[in-house]
Amino acid sequence: MFTNRQRQEERTGKYGTPRLQFLQDLVTQFQNTTNEESKEKIIANLANFAYDPYNYTFLRQLNVLELFLDCLTEPNEKLVEFAIGGICNACADPANAALVTQFGGIPLIIQCLSSPVRNTVNYAVGALYYMCNASNKEEILRPEVIDVIERYAAASAVNVSFSNLAQAFLDKHVSQQQ
């Protein structure tokens, strides 16, 4: 559920931790732990906060988008899955999408298209769907990327929702070009 300042104050209560502080604590915990399972849980938690526009400013302020991008280079598939999920959630906002592009995220997201983890691929297609615009379409709409997404769109027998998302990407970004 989306929130606003008033609702957040009501939910937090008089003695609760303000959202910015809570998110800062999560980032600090991530930076201070070496335990892979703890890192996975923290990134998953941050990714869950990335869907709500109320949190976008906090996430930018705390460099969480860069943290997600850093996680995409990790060998831990769960960390990659949760991080690309956070990027997908956050990139519904054009300011977040622009930051991910500015920080060199497009090639990292494109790499996720070849992940063996279905959720990772799904989130990558979703992130590219939100991110693709006039300023970066040449980087995203390369023939090899379109080919992969076309193959996913044709895979409705494997997973209909997965296929539908890939087809929505093609309808919005590729059909316009032709």
Side-chain angles (χ1 to χ4, degrees), residues 35-70:
N35 181 290
E36 286 295 308
E37 187 176 337
S38 294
K39 285 184 173 198
E40 292 167 6
K41 288 178 182 178
I42 293 165
I43 288 297
N45 204 343
L46 287 168
N48 285 336
F49 282 101
Y51 83 92
D52 191 340
Y54 178 78
N55 299 315
Y56 290 165
T57 302
F58 302 140
L59 297 174
R60 289 190 294 265
Q61 185 177 343
L62 297 171
N63 300 315
V64 172
L65 297 172
E66 294 95 317
L67 180 62
F68 288 152
L69 290 171
D70 287 344

Side-chain angles (χ1 to χ4, degrees), residues 14-148:
K14 188 174 178 181
Y15 303 105
T17 304
R19 180 64 55 89
L20 178 61
Q21 183 60 53
F22 183 79
L23 294 171
Q24 176 64 68
D25 292 347
L26 286 174
V27 170
T28 301
Q29 288 173 22
F30 182 87
Q31 292 168 334
N32 291 335
T33 189
T34 56
N35 181 290
E36 286 295 308
E37 187 176 337
S38 294
K39 285 184 173 198
E40 292 167 6
K41 288 178 182 178
I42 293 165
I43 288 297
N45 204 343
L46 287 168
N48 285 336
F49 282 101
Y51 83 92
D52 191 340
Y54 178 78
N55 299 315
Y56 290 165
T57 302
F58 302 140
L59 297 174
R60 289 190 294 265
Q61 185 177 343
L62 297 171
N63 300 315
V64 172
L65 297 172
E66 294 95 317
L67 180 62
F68 288 152
L69 290 171
D70 287 344
C71 289
L72 296 184
T73 64
E74 294 291 324
N76 180 330
E77 288 289 347
K78 282 199 173 292
L79 208 52
V80 172
E81 175 186 354
F82 298 143
I84 190 64
I87 290 168
C88 180
N89 288 344
C91 281
D93 177 62
N96 290 337
L99 277 176
V100 170
T101 300
Q102 177 186 332
F103 297 135
I106 291 173
L108 296 172
I109 294 168
I110 289 171
Q111 284 180 340
C112 290
L113 292 174
S114 61
S115 172
V117 179
R118 186 176 291 169
N119 282 341
T120 299
V121 176
N122 215 22
Y123 295 140
V125 173
L128 293 172
Y129 176 91
Y130 289 127
M131 292 178 65
C132 190
N133 60 43
S135 68
N136 62 25
K137 68 181 178 184
E138 287 184 20
E139 187 175 6
I140 294 174
L141 299 179
R142 297 193 330 254
E144 61 272 21
V145 174
I146 293 170
D147 181 57
V148 168

